[in-house]
Amino acid sequence: MYNKRNISIIGGAGHVGFGLGLILSSKGFKVSLIDKHRANIKKINSGQVPFLEENSEKLLNKMIRSKRIYATNELNEVLKSKYIIVCIGTPINNKLNPSLTHFINFFYELKKFLNKNQIIIIRSSIYPGICNKIYKIISSKCKNLSYCPERIVQGKLILELPKLPQLVSGKSKTAILESSKLFKKVCKKIIHTKVIEAELVKLFSNAYRYINFSISNQFYMICQNQGINFFKIRDIMRDGYMRNANIPLSGFTAGPCLLKDTMQLSSFYNHKFLLGHSAMRINEGIPRFIINKLNKKYNLKNKTVGVLGLAFKSETDDIRDSLAIKLLKLLKSKKIKTLQSDEFYKNKDNIGKKDLIRKSDIIILSTPHKAYKKLKIGKNKILVDAWGLIDKG
Ligand SMILES: NC(=O)c1ccc[n+]([C@@H]2O[C@H](COP(=O)([O-])OP(=O)(O)OC[C@H]3O[C@@H](n4cnc5c(N)ncnc54)[C@H](O)[C@@H]3O)[C@@H](O)[C@H]2O)c1
């Protein structure tokens, strides 16, 4: 049953697992995408991509036709595979600590199907030290455990993965050698690290981005309080002055990774990661900041507020941990009349963008989808644009 060309991906119907599976199947491997999400399994097997992933639909159908990829909910499919890649979610709980039970219990389940020749690769973003815990769980059956974190930007895995260096770390020489061989087929460069180094590189990278965005969000708030245009200030800061070239735009910094990984890191540091916590307060505070500012100026009970964009970032249909959704909920909890729209995320309450603009008194641009860039918003409307996409001042 066991085949050296077979790969099983756990969490294979998710954002990370699906794209990776597609790429590996295109390199000649036979890939089983193992997942609990029955609806997404059905979609994948019928050639539909369950979420937006650039350049993936044609490839999926080609791989299905050549019988190199299929999705299933049967964990025992791993018996057929030399490589088992784990891409399941690693959430945090409401106390901002990593919620590890599901992740760890999964390896007790997996252990039943392991043999000593298999290579287990963890790809999820994990709490530092978890690889060692997992190793203790599975090592009586298989010692070949690697940690090779994913570092792509969501929705662009197919385009980005071949261009990115891949971190490879592991608990045995075989694990390191075999994981390197596998990723060499799809990635530009392999960087070998210790396991703890790879765990920290992943979390530091996401925390760094999260903190970086919070700086611009804080500057945006300072400007708003003074009635000054942040985007003009940012342009001047960067004009011919290279030291400021990388200052990001402000906006609704959110999504399933940045905050979660910043808090995993904070938990690892006994919640004394002050920069991380400040970044969270600033970024997560944006919706409330906008509502409070509007509330001071207008009677919101008499206004219709249009929330333009629901996804957590542009050109995606993913609303996981979206601040646009948080904004919408806050507005509704205050009994303010709302309208909502999105270009990619489908919901029965959505209306078209032009309709939303026409029917709203106040429009809050909450996701910078490209389609909103050229929208005409009349002078009689109030526009709040924390991204500086439409309102350049
Ligand atoms: N989304 C990204 O762009 C991205 C980038 C880098 C790293 N990561 C990390 O990768 C991991 C996965 O993220 P994602 O965005 O793909 O999440 P996701 O929710 O899209 O996918 C996870 C999948 O795992 C499945 N699953 C959960 N438990 C399972 C189990 N016991 N058995 C089988 N399937 C199971 C879920 O049904 C889901 O389809 C996380 O640790 C995340 O932080 C994500």
Side-chain angles (χ1 to χ4, degrees):
M1 281 235 289
Y2 169 89
N3 190 312
K4 285 186 175 168
R5 303 293 295 169
N6 282 11
I7 299 176
S8 287
I9 301 193
I10 323 292
H15 290 80
V16 164
F18 172 72
L20 178 65
L22 260 189
I23 293 194
L24 289 169
S25 66
S26 74
K27 299 290 172 191
F29 291 98
K30 181 154 185 172
V31 176
S32 53
L33 302 170
I34 302 174
D35 207 291
K36 286 187 158 174
H37 199 307
R38 285 171 188 269
N40 283 355
I41 290 174
K42 215 169 153 188
K43 277 188 183 163
I44 292 170
N45 285 336
S46 65
Q48 284 174 61
V49 177
F51 35 73
L52 286 184
E53 183 61 60
E54 253 177 88
N55 291 4
S56 62
E57 192 144 322
K58 243 189 179 170
L59 186 57
L60 173 64
N61 283 285
K62 193 173 161 198
M63 291 303 113
I64 290 176
R65 278 196 303 277
S66 55
K67 298 198 180 340
R68 275 198 254 142
I69 202 163
Y70 61 100
T72 172
N73 64 355
E74 300 285 344
L75 186 57
N76 62 11
E77 284 287 295
V78 301
L79 288 167
K80 298 177 188 166
S81 295
K82 171 169 174 178
Y83 297 98
I84 299 166
I85 308 180
V86 180
C87 306
I88 64 180
T90 46
I92 48 171
N93 61 25
N94 54 11
K95 294 206 167 90
L96 305 176
N97 285 312
S99 166
L100 296 169
T101 321
H102 177 77
F103 194 76
I104 288 174
N105 284 348
F106 164 74
F107 285 90
Y108 283 107
E109 270 301 297
L110 179 68
K111 185 180 177 181
K112 297 176 195 159
F113 304 106
L114 294 182
N115 70 58
K116 69 178 175 33
N117 297 317
Q118 286 169 311
I119 312 294
I120 323 301
I121 301 174
I122 297 179
R123 194 135 178 88
S124 308
S125 310
I126 51 171
Y127 183 73
I130 285 302
C131 276
N132 285 342
K133 268 203 174 150
I134 304 295
Y135 183 73
K136 281 188 189 141
I137 295 169
I138 63 170
S139 58
S140 60
K141 290 289 272 305
C142 175
K143 295 192 175 3
N144 304 321
L145 178 69
S146 299
Y147 181 53
C148 307
E150 178 62 85
R151 298 197 292 169
I152 50 96
V153 66
Q154 189 161 318
K156 296 197 186 299
L157 192 150
I158 310 281
L159 302 170
E160 265 199 10
L161 194 72
K163 297 181 192 159
L164 293 182
Q166 176 61 51
L167 304 187
V168 171
S169 65
K171 299 292 290 179
S172 74
K173 276 190 182 154
T174 311
I176 295 168
L177 193 79
E178 290 290 340
S179 305
S180 303
K181 265 202 305 204
L182 180 69
F183 281 109
K184 260 185 203 150
K185 294 198 188 299
V186 291
C187 298
K188 194 175 150 188
K189 179 180 169 186
I190 304 293
I191 301 176
H192 288 113
T193 71
K194 292 180 184 156
V195 170
I196 183 72
E197 289 168 346
E199 289 171 341
L200 287 177
V201 167
K202 176 64 203 176
L203 297 191
F204 281 3
S205 303
N206 275 357
Y208 175 73
R209 267 168 75 70
Y210 193 64
I211 292 164
N212 220 6
F213 289 130
S214 76
I215 297 171
S216 290
N217 285 336
Q218 182 82 91
F219 289 169
Y220 171 79
M221 291 174 181
I222 292 171
C223 285
Q224 285 288 302
N225 272 356
Q226 299 297 324
I228 295 165
N229 187 311
F230 166 66
F231 305 102
K232 187 172 173 203
I233 302 250
R234 179 177 172 271
D235 284 346
I236 299 168
M237 282 174 77
R238 296 163 78 234
D239 189 354
Y241 196 70
M242 287 314 288
R243 280 190 281 274
N244 287 340
N246 293 329
I247 180 166
L249 281 164
S250 53
F252 284 46
T253 308
C257 286
L258 298 189
L259 169 60
K260 184 257 295 180
D261 286 347
T262 306
M263 288 306 115
Q264 293 210 88
L265 187 58
S266 185
S267 175
F268 183 61
Y269 197 50
N270 294 326
H271 290 294
K272 290 184 191 133
F273 183 21
L274 302 182
L275 275 173
H277 281 272
S278 297
M280 175 178 68
R281 287 184 65 182
I282 295 163
N283 293 335
E284 287 289 306
I286 284 269
R288 201 174 285 278
F289 173 83
I290 290 173
I291 294 173
N292 288 347
K293 290 237 48 112
L294 286 169
N295 218 2
K296 278 192 187 138
K297 224 166 159 187
Y298 310 101
N299 180 0
L300 293 181
K301 291 266 154 47
N302 296 334
K303 304 277 185 210
T304 299
V305 179
V307 175
L308 189 56
L310 299 169
F312 83 84
K313 66 171 190 169
S314 72
E315 315 316 302
T316 165
D317 55 354
D318 192 347
I319 59 156
R320 288 180 296 168
D321 296 318
S322 165
L323 283 181
I325 301 291
K326 184 171 177 176
L327 172 77
L328 197 61
K329 282 189 184 154
L330 271 172
L331 289 164
K332 284 182 177 169
S333 72
K334 291 178 188 301
K335 309 257 178 292
I336 296 164
K337 192 171 172 221
T338 58
L339 293 169
Q340 62 185 66
S341 182
D342 195 83
E343 293 304 289
F344 303 101
Y345 167 70
K346 295 191 175 46
N347 184 283
K348 65 174 176 40
D349 294 331
N350 286 3
I351 59 171
K353 52 185 173 294
K354 288 191 178 154
D355 243 12
L356 178 136
I357 291 168
R358 196 167 45 79
K359 291 179 180 163
S360 303
D361 306 299
I362 299 173
I363 296 129
I364 304 179
L365 180 83
S366 31
T367 313
H369 290 312
K370 283 182 195 148
Y372 301 155
K373 205 168 180 165
K374 297 226 161 79
L375 284 175
K376 295 269 172 284
I377 297 179
K379 292 251 181 285
N380 58 332
K381 306 280 176 179
I382 301 149
L383 171 66
V384 180
D385 178 4
W387 298 94
L389 186 81
I390 305 173
D391 184 16
K392 296 273 180 220

